[in-house]
């Protein structure tokens, strides 16, 4: 029996609400890269299944590529928020509550399995055989994610790193560590065919950045033992810093993340 059970950390209604609102989106270039990769490797575009999809951040962008896109997640709250986003522009997108190791699809029925910012949480000993079961041949597995952000403003970046060191790192789950080296040595269902790496720059607000931090599982674990005063203090310090610098916009900040994708063909 596996001792690496799938970790369940994103299931509360409030957490799902924050996740849906504040998580970063991936660059268009990443999905363009996937589209070319699928074509180059003869993978059909009938059905894509996005496992551990959360509230659909990584499901909807692939809807123009596939005839059907189905996001699955073990959290009913996450799936509820994902379903609310379906509109007339995404009639081919569906969501269902299911575990990555018990997918509802027939053998060799799925053209692509995707998993964004979640592969490290899954039980690979049970998820990998399930992925191999449902994939057609040829089929594609796309596993991708992004790093902890860096703030362009050096003073703000110091404040952010101090916050992480004082309040976040001690509550990180060990299973999140593969993100530190961008999944360079994480188990995959098939040998790596191609790796894609890029740096993405985002312009956001302090309010939304604080909201993003609030989606972290480590922060949610911290809140089980402490009040939210630490993140409120970070918010205040960041605003004061920009004000003292005489910034034209005391709310707007620039950040960057390393984005990566591991693309496999069976």
């Amino acid at each position: 029996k596996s001792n690496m059970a799938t970790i369940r950390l994103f299931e509360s209604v409030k957490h799902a609400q924050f996740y849906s609102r504040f998580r970063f989106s991936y660059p268009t270039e990443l999905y363009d890269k996937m589209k070319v990769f699928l074509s180059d490797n003869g993978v059909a575009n009938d059905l894509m299944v996005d496992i551990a999809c959360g509230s659909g951040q990584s499901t909807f962008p692939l809807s123009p590529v596939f005839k059907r896109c189905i996001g699955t997640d073990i959290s009913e709250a996450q799936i509820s928020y994902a379903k609310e986003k379906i509109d007339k522009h995404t009639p081919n997108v569906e969501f269902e509550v299911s575990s990555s190791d018990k997918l509802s699809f027939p053998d060799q029925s799925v053209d692509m399995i995707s998993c964004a910012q979640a592969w490290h949480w899954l039980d690979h000993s049970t998820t990998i055989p399930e992925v191999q079961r449902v994939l057609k041949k040829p089929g594609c597995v796309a596993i991708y994610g992004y790093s902890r952000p860096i703030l362009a403003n050096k003073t703000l970046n110091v404040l952010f790193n101090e916050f992480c060191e004082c309040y976040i790192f001690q509550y990180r789950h060990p299973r999140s560590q593969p993100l530190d080296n961008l999944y360079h040595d994480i188990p995959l269902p098939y040998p790596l065919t191609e790796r894609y790496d890029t740096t993405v720059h985002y312009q956001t607000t302090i309010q939304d950045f604080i909201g993003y931090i609030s989606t972290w599982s480590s922060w949610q674990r911290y809140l089980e033992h402490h009040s939210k005063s630490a993140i409120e203090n970070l918010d205040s310090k960041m605003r004061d810093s920009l004000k003292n610098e005489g910034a034209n916009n005391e709310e707007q900040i620039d950040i960057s993340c390393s984005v990566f994708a591991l693309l496999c063909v069976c």
Side-chain angles (χ1 to χ4, degrees), residues 197-218:
D197 289 278
T198 190
T199 300
V200 180
H201 300 273
Y202 298 95
Q203 197 169 71
T204 187
T205 63
I206 291 177
Q207 179 183 6
D208 283 359
F209 185 70
I210 295 297
Y212 161 70
I213 297 172
S214 300
T215 71
W216 289 1
S217 60
S218 48

Side-chain angles (χ1 to χ4, degrees), residues 166-182:
C166 291
Y167 306 108
I168 294 294
F169 291 157
Q170 61 184 310
Y171 288 96
R172 282 187 75 190
H173 195 285
R175 289 273 286 278
S176 68
Q177 290 179 356
L179 280 173
D180 293 343
N181 72 346
L182 310 180

Side-chain angles (χ1 to χ4, degrees), residues 231-242:
I231 205 167
E232 292 172 342
N233 289 338
L234 175 63
D235 183 303
S236 178
K237 288 179 180 178
M238 291 177 73
R239 293 178 190 278
D240 288 345
S241 178
L242 288 183

Side-chain angles (χ1 to χ4, degrees), residues 49-222:
V49 174
D50 187 24
I51 60 175
C53 69
S55 52
Q57 283 89 344
S58 57
T59 315
F60 288 102
L62 286 164
S63 63
V65 180
F66 290 88
K67 295 174 184 176
R68 291 180 71 200
C69 292
I70 302 178
T72 72
D73 199 280
I74 205 166
S75 165
E76 292 185 10
Q78 293 278 13
I79 291 298
S80 177
Y81 276 101
K83 287 181 176 179
E84 289 180 5
K85 298 178 182 179
I86 297 174
D87 60 24
K88 64 181 181 180
H89 302 294
T90 54
N92 61 330
V93 176
E94 307 166 40
F95 293 97
E96 63 179 50
V97 177
S98 69
S99 170
S100 62
D101 56 6
K102 292 182 180 178
L103 298 173
S104 63
F105 309 98
D107 295 359
Q108 297 186 29
S109 62
V110 178
D111 298 296
M112 178 168 129
I113 293 283
S114 68
C115 184
Q117 200 74 355
W119 189 251
H120 54 284
W121 296 123
L122 305 181
D123 183 343
H124 301 142
S125 69
T126 54
T127 297
I128 286 177
E130 189 68 347
V131 168
Q132 293 171 335
R133 179 186 69 79
V134 302
L135 266 183
K136 296 178 185 176
K137 291 181 173 55
C140 172
V141 178
I143 296 170
Y144 54 110
Y146 51 83
S147 67
R148 185 160 58 96
I150 297 172
L151 287 81
N153 183 298
K154 291 183 179 180
T155 303
L156 298 188
N157 199 52
V158 168
L159 290 172
F160 172 55
N161 286 332
E162 288 176 348
F163 170 82
C164 291
E165 290 169 6
C166 291
Y167 306 108
I168 294 294
F169 291 157
Q170 61 184 310
Y171 288 96
R172 282 187 75 190
H173 195 285
R175 289 273 286 278
S176 68
Q177 290 179 356
L179 280 173
D180 293 343
N181 72 346
L182 310 180
Y183 280 12
H184 272 283
D185 51 10
I186 201 165
L188 299 173
Y190 301 98
L192 181 64
T193 305
E194 188 173 335
R195 182 181 175 99
Y196 173 76
D197 289 278
T198 190
T199 300
V200 180
H201 300 273
Y202 298 95
Q203 197 169 71
T204 187
T205 63
I206 291 177
Q207 179 183 6
D208 283 359
F209 185 70
I210 295 297
Y212 161 70
I213 297 172
S214 300
T215 71
W216 289 1
S217 60
S218 48
W219 175 248
Q220 296 297 317
R221 294 176 78 193
Y222 174 90

Side-chain angles (χ1 to χ4, degrees), residues 7-57:
I7 304 299
R8 304 177 67 156
L9 293 173
F10 303 89
E11 297 188 63
S12 74
V13 172
K14 187 172 182 179
H15 196 180
Q17 182 182 27
F18 272 68
Y19 202 98
S20 176
R21 180 178 175 187
F22 294 116
R23 279 282 166 148
F24 300 144
S25 58
Y26 291 91
T28 303
E29 293 79 6
L30 174 63
Y31 297 107
D32 291 342
K33 181 72 176 177
M34 290 183 188
K35 186 175 180 179
V36 172
F37 181 83
L38 293 167
S39 176
D40 288 349
N41 288 278
V43 178
N45 67 336
D46 295 318
L47 175 60
M48 185 279 294
V49 174
D50 187 24
I51 60 175
C53 69
S55 52
Q57 283 89 344

